[in-house]
Amino acid sequence: MERTIRYNTLTSEAVGEGHPDKVCDQIADALLDEALRQDKEAHVAYEVFATTEYILIGGEMSGRGVHVDYEQVARDVLRGIGYVSPELGIGCDSCKIDVRVKEQSPDIALGVERARPEDMGAGDQGIMFGYATNETEGYMPLPHSIAQKLVRRASEMRKEGLFPHARPDMKSQVTVDYQDPAHPRVGKVLMSCQHDPEADIDEFRAFVHEKIMVPVLASFGEEGDFQWFVNPTGRFVTGGPAGDTGLTGRKLIVDTYGGASRHGGGAFSGKDPSKVDRSASYYARYIAKNLVAAGAAERLEVQLSYAIGMSEPMGIGISTFGTAHVSDEKILAAISRFFDCRPGMIIDSLGLRKGVHYRPTSVYGAFGRPDLDLPWERLDKAEALKDFFRKA
């Protein structure tokens, strides 16, 4: 008998595009996009480190005729975020950039490069999780959806000149009370937003509450009272890489489900689709979302596991947290019938080398993105799954 997991409260956080870790993720994925633009079969694994006026780009890349201007791409990303001077956190034109990228190991290529996509092996071993819940329209956990929308909206307003005194670095945190599982309620909302030194902190706090928090929560039908906190230390002028170091892949839970689901430990940013850390995590989400949309369960988690160089998964597992409407055996049978979890087939079925741009997914989450048309978010299997469950 599967144990039912019920939260008392669940808290999720999100970070804006100016957060130092997210700066690194965006540079890594912008570099990946450029490498794949030049050779869609390129094998890429970039890592980025950031600190005061300094960016280090490392990792591996192998591709036919690929010549990435690493420094220019990194500076363009910084400029696009709004880091145009050291006083703001880092200067796009003034910072030092070191590049330490080498060719990918040929030992890895032995297991990955195959003539037919169905024979392609995984680029590494590992475990990946996908998750979906019917508590929001985007099939995402409520606290995480709200937390992501808060920083996304605040960043949009900053760039549009509608958020006075705001600077690029910001974070959010949302606590939802699940004591009545049928009616979850937002209890507490926190935002920390970098600001100009001359900002009046009381006016700044009032603006964040009235113009960002209240409208965003209202968009989720949350119009009741909630406790709110803005910049609890009272001052947040020094931010970005000047305030804290940044590193690729250090916001794994922010990138996925905000703590509502398990995580296999692998990061996404900077990795081409042959890395199952990325592609299989996307596919596990695709499976879980379509199954929940088909009514198999109200909450569902999918685990995929792989061995380097092997095409067939080592294992496929599910958890429904006591919310299933059909048996686990039927759900597993449906996965076997409708979803091909071999790495090459994942890449083909989701078109992960055909026009997918990865940089937009490196900030504000890879899942439940109403602002992006992502292939792993489509519900194109839901109707067939409903019919399967009706007949099973």
Side-chain angles (χ1 to χ4, degrees):
M1 183 71 178
E2 184 172 304
R3 178 170 63 94
T4 300
I5 297 177
R6 179 174 293 172
Y7 302 114
N8 184 358
T9 63
L10 178 65
T11 301
S12 295
E13 72 161 345
V15 299
E17 59 196 71
H19 187 279
D21 293 329
K22 278 293 148 203
V23 169
C24 295
D25 286 343
Q26 290 170 91
I27 291 173
D29 272 342
L31 292 169
L32 169 68
D33 284 342
E34 177 59 20
L36 293 178
R37 185 188 68 81
Q38 297 183 35
D39 178 9
K40 64 184 180 66
E41 301 296 332
H43 293 298
V44 179
Y46 292 127
E47 307 284 349
V48 181
F49 168 82
T51 188
T52 305
E53 282 295 275
Y54 180 76
I55 300 288
L56 172 64
I57 300 169
E60 301 83 41
M61 194 281 293
S62 297
R64 294 184 295 273
V66 177
H67 300 285
V68 176
D69 189 338
Y70 293 97
E71 182 174 330
Q72 187 60 54
V73 170
R75 295 192 190 281
D76 287 346
V77 170
L78 293 172
R79 184 175 292 104
I81 293 170
Y83 281 132
V84 295
S85 72
E87 292 75 23
L88 296 176
I90 192 170
C92 58
D93 296 314
S94 58
C95 69
K96 178 178 174 55
I97 298 178
D98 280 338
V99 179
R100 297 289 185 269
V101 177
K102 59 183 184 295
E103 187 172 348
Q104 187 182 60
S105 168
D107 295 346
I108 296 176
L110 288 174
V112 175
E113 295 177 356
R114 305 283 171 78
R116 303 189 308 166
E118 55 264 43
D119 296 329
M120 174 183 165
D124 200 354
Q125 70 175 51
I127 56 175
M128 298 84 208
F129 288 94
Y131 178 79
T133 171
N134 63 5
E135 66 187 88
T136 63
E137 290 184 5
Y139 294 88
M140 289 290 286
L142 179 62
H144 196 51
S145 294
I146 296 174
Q148 292 283 21
K149 189 170 182 178
L150 285 168
V151 288
R152 190 170 74 244
R153 180 58 187 145
S155 294
E156 290 170 351
M157 292 177 68
R158 172 181 62 84
K159 289 185 169 184
E160 293 167 3
L162 301 176
F163 188 177
H165 299 294
R167 288 182 170 185
D169 198 353
M170 59 185 67
K171 303 174 76 171
S172 66
Q173 191 166 284
V174 176
T175 300
V176 171
D177 185 337
Y178 283 93
Q179 292 186 71
D180 180 357
H183 301 94
R185 182 181 64 84
V186 175
K188 298 178 182 180
V189 179
L190 164 68
M191 291 193 74
S192 294
C193 301
Q194 185 189 11
H195 57 81
D196 296 333
E198 65 271 17
D200 181 293
I201 188 61
D202 291 331
E203 292 180 0
F204 191 79
R205 284 171 169 160
F207 183 92
V208 172
H209 172 243
E210 296 168 11
K211 302 299 184 182
I212 298 173
M213 289 181 174
V214 170
V216 166
L217 265 67
S219 72
F220 287 88
E222 296 284 339
E223 299 183 0
D225 293 333
F226 59 90
Q227 284 186 276
W228 61 275
F229 310 87
V230 176
N231 291 18
T233 64
R235 179 180 170 88
F236 184 10
V237 173
T238 303
D244 195 4
T245 56
L247 191 64
T248 308
R250 202 158 56 177
K251 284 289 177 281
L252 306 182
I253 303 306
V254 169
D255 289 339
T256 53
Y257 308 103
S261 169
R262 290 172 286 187
H263 195 290
F268 302 159
S269 291
K271 298 176 181 177
D272 76 85
S274 72
K275 279 68 172 177
V276 284
D277 281 340
R278 181 163 225 157
S279 55
S281 294
Y282 291 170
Y283 204 62
R285 161 66 175 176
Y286 178 61
I287 295 170
K289 185 176 180 180
N290 275 272
L291 285 167
V292 170
E298 295 175 30
R299 296 174 56 204
L300 195 145
E301 180 185 82
V302 176
Q303 185 199 58
L304 303 176
S305 60
Y306 294 87
I308 188 169
M310 295 179 62
S311 59
E312 292 291 342
M314 296 286 284
I316 301 175
I318 61 167
S319 296
T320 57
F321 312 103
T323 69
H325 298 296
V326 298
S327 69
D328 286 1
E329 290 74 19
K330 288 180 180 178
I331 294 174
L332 289 168
I335 293 174
S336 177
R337 177 167 177 176
F338 291 97
F339 302 96
D340 192 333
C341 297
R342 291 174 292 179
M345 301 309 291
I346 290 174
I347 292 170
D348 271 14
S349 65
L350 295 182
L352 297 182
R353 293 191 181 276
K354 296 178 180 178
V356 174
H357 297 288
Y358 292 100
R359 183 189 167 186
T361 70
S362 63
V363 66
Y364 311 125
F367 309 120
R369 294 291 301 274
D371 55 320
L372 301 175
D373 179 20
L374 301 173
W376 53 88
E377 289 294 298
R378 296 170 188 164
L379 294 173
D380 50 3
K381 302 277 190 182
E383 290 303 318
L385 286 165
K386 287 179 184 178
D387 189 55
F388 176 80
F389 291 132
R390 280 194 296 266
K391 295 178 179 177

